[in-house]
Amino acid sequence: MNRVLPSVLAAFAASAVAWLGCGGSSSSPSDEKPKDYEWQLPQGFPVPKVPADNPMSKDKVDLGRHLFYDTRLSGNGTYSCASCHIQEKAFTDGRRRALGSTNETHPRGSMSLTNVAYATTLAWANDLLTSLETQTMVPMFGETPIELGLAGQEAQMLERLRAAPYYPPAFAKAFPGDPGPFTTQRVVEAISAFERTMISGQSPYDRFAFQGDNAAISESAKRGRDLFFSETLECFHCHGNFNFSDSISHSGSAFTETMFHNTGLYNIDGKGAFPSDNVGLKEVSHKDSDMGRFKAPTLRNIAVTAPYMHDGSISTLDEALDHYAAGGRTIATGPYAGNGSKSPLKSDLVVGFVITAEQKADVVHFLESLTDNEFLHDPRFSNPWTAGESP
Amino acid sequence: MSIAFEGRVGSEPFRCTQAYSHLGTGRVTADVLDFRFYVHDVRLVTRDGRETPVTLTQDQKWQYQNVALLDFEDKSGSCANGTVDTNTRVMGTVPAGDYTGLRFRLGVPFSLNHGNAATAPSPLNLSGLFWIWNAGYKFLRVDARVAQNTLLADAGDAGDGGGGEAGAPPVFPVHIGSTGCQGDAKDGGVTDCSRRNVADIELASFDVTKNKVVVDYAALVAGTELTAGGGMGCMSSPEDATCNEIFARLGLDLASGKPAAGQAFFRVE
């Protein structure tokens, strides 16, 4: 309830209400510029790049968080973004392949949203999705497969939001000066702003590498780190840099790198073919050379995002290492039989290596040291809806 | 000046509340779930073969710049995800003349196809026609759900060929749009598409005051088995053999995405 006179409220809208964070009950637009968002970045982390037309603000992030966890954002009211992106699993879902709101199985697994602010490409294999604002519309409106199932239902979705008591003041605060903020674009902008805040950089490895705490990870993990960054294992070519992915950019980047790789997971016909429902970047580009090329996702929090690969076809980190040690996966029988290590389309960095059981354990310990428990339980990223106001 | 269009399934007018029989090579019965398409670059042709562009009325709804959306579904019956409004004409102006033919392109022009669909003006902001993962629009969307009782006896046992989970009626979507698009990694824009899949439609002998353009779904799928495609129908992939006959009837070459002769989807009455 608005207990402040409108004229008084207008004067205080940006300062008092934004500062208090919870007192906003006006749904009239404010002309005040929202405060800049304060990143609170981990040690050693660059400032993310933010689109000029979707600047960050605390109010926008708050709104995006509510939208991210709101099942009003699905056609049948059963699903939210969080249905496939669960915080404790670093915003993956633990499934081999994602399951949409209408029970349709996605060909690929839900990607981790860890540090998505730094990603230059935002799906497993689509070089056209280069901004979160664009990507967000795929789960919302995509129909092959259906994820949130909102195609043709954006008016109903916006009406549901408008009717929920939380949203009118929240949209007004997030988009001051906009008299009609209940649009698809504003929804997308708020969710994207929230996703940009999902930054993980407080893992034991970060304390070791960036914060000078030599005891933060085990000796085994340190040996694993050295192996990971060695020319023997070659892991770092695709999973190097602070984010352990080669398709990143940030506010200091002069170039934008967008990389996709064929890691020899399949070689069905001896010419490098992947299963027809997962041909990688070729699905979008139609280029034969893009067969089986997928993004190298961040390895941050990788220990909690099993199963692995775009199709969840590898269950454990141990098996993932076996795959790379063999220089590609051999599938003996069945429709996908073939020797991936002999794929002509395989990345020239997936050459295979010899590794002892102990070394393998070391690398796994290193990968486990990338788990950021603070991120996985940070209340800033959790479901904001309390039981009483639950959507 | 108004150019009339009519949605048709064979000889019958299209309605969302009616099932149509004898569709495709399997002669199946199906409900149509959606029936919409964009046209652009509409031209009238004079008796001596010269083209005159139609200047489209900017109505803030169905027409924007030189693009118009034709919409035969009214969200009733089987068309649950569409819009209540329909549009069966292109409105515009041309200089007076002796016009005897009609030409237009099926699709959205490249310059408008790759912008931000969420902020684009109507009619380029209908989410049912977004094709975000391909960075453009579904130029033509016409989906059908095949009635179970008209399927061949063994169609349901043919693994993935039946289209989805056991018991789910097979849906045969036709989604035509540009594919093979290349992005500019830095700016995020699309620089080109290797298959634009924009059809050039020419209807000779068209009198705008007397004739209408009949748009016939039965003709579109006449050479296609509607239970094929594993529920994916034809989504414009050059490697999808299911698209062969569909593309031929749209006047498109599946391999190149370039216009080809012999379209059968549009006719004059």
Side-chain angles (χ1 to χ4, degrees), chain A residues 126 143-144 152 154 282 286, chain B residues 127 133 138 141 179 235 239:
Chain A
N126 190 332
E143 295 183 85
T144 50
E154 69 271 30
K282 182 174 189 247
H286 295 334
Chain B
S127 62
W133 70 270
K138 294 165 187 167
R141 175 175 191 166
T179 67
M235 300 216 183
E239 297 189 345

Side-chain angles (χ1 to χ4, degrees), chain A residues 164-235:
Chain A
Y166 166 77
Y167 285 116
F171 272 82
K173 282 199 290 178
F175 301 103
D178 184 346
F182 282 91
T183 64
T184 299
Q185 178 67 6
R186 294 308 199 189
V187 169
V188 156
E189 287 172 1
I191 293 173
S192 302
F194 171 56
E195 289 177 329
R196 285 197 174 92
T197 69
M198 295 176 170
I199 290 175
S200 168
Q202 301 294 351
S203 68
Y205 175 78
D206 290 301
R207 292 201 296 279
F208 167 75
F210 298 117
Q211 297 167 28
D213 180 358
N214 197 44
I217 67 173
S218 69
E219 291 306 312
S220 169
K222 286 176 198 168
R223 289 192 300 272
R225 171 186 183 272
D226 292 342
L227 284 165
F228 183 90
F229 286 102
S230 73
E231 290 290 351
T232 314
L233 266 61
E234 310 272 17
C235 311

